[in-house]
Amino acid sequence: IQISQVLAALQAGTRGTCIHAASTVSGVIGDLDTTIMFATPGTLNADGDEAFSDHRENILRTAKSLVEDKKTLVAGAASNQEQLASAAFSAVMTITQLSLCVKQGAAFLGSEQHSSISLTVSHAECQSILQVLLINAVKDVASALGEFISATKNKNI
């Protein structure tokens, strides 16, 4: 086996990893779209006595981890295929976790009474709007991540 064949196989494997990563992110986006379908009419309800504040720290911690993963992904795109594949895998795991954290938290969003809720919008409508906004925010992040991963799979190193 020639070295060029080994390198070609490694590059193809990494492209496969990036294709799989982009596909997984696409699945996360589809799952978020489904959750938005339930949140829009106000049917995304929480089970239990928790509040959004119980989920906020986990969402923030996971979001910060995704920022670090994105930095590593950018560095991996500028270096070798192995680092790129590893960074893509890590970023996909983190966006999946962030999606789960946000969906769980969104279900409890608005469960606390806020004095800032507009009198022209019912509490249920306000809760639904906040849920959709939060879920759309993580969906936008997932979309950007998926686009970046898709762009890197065509990179020739």
Side-chain angles (χ1 to χ4, degrees):
I1 298 178
Q2 295 181 347
I3 293 177
S4 62
Q5 291 174 324
V6 171
L7 288 174
L10 287 173
Q11 287 178 337
T14 302
R15 279 192 197 96
T17 299
C18 288
I19 289 169
H20 179 69
S23 175
T24 302
V25 171
S26 180
V28 168
I29 293 167
D31 186 49
L32 291 167
D33 279 334
T34 301
T35 305
I36 289 168
M37 283 185 352
F38 285 98
T40 301
T43 58
L44 183 63
N45 299 317
D47 292 327
D49 296 332
E50 298 174 60
F52 177 74
S53 58
D54 298 328
H55 297 270
R56 181 179 25 230
E57 287 304 314
N58 197 23
I59 292 170
L60 291 173
R61 186 175 36 260
T62 308
K64 287 178 183 178
S65 180
L66 184 60
V67 169
E68 293 306 313
D69 285 347
K70 180 67 187 252
K71 289 177 184 177
T72 305
L73 187 60
V74 170
S79 62
N80 64 49
Q81 294 287 337
E82 186 177 310
Q83 287 177 337
L84 176 60
S86 175
F89 177 78
S90 182
V92 167
M93 296 302 292
T94 305
I95 193 64
T96 301
Q97 182 61 36
L98 181 60
S99 171
L100 292 172
C101 293
V102 165
K103 289 188 310 181
Q104 290 171 353
F108 291 95
L109 194 60
S111 61
E112 301 119 355
Q113 295 295 326
H114 296 286
S115 60
S116 61
I117 295 175
S118 171
L119 295 177
T120 60
V121 178
S122 74
H123 178 72
E125 289 173 320
C126 185
Q127 181 177 3
S128 173
I129 291 167
L130 292 173
Q131 289 173 335
V132 170
L133 287 172
L134 180 62
I135 297 166
N136 267 322
V138 77
K139 180 183 163 193
D140 291 345
V141 170
S143 294
L145 178 64
E147 289 171 12
F148 185 81
I149 290 172
S150 291
T152 60
K153 75 180 178 197
N154 298 321
K155 181 179 173 290
N156 292 320
I157 294 181

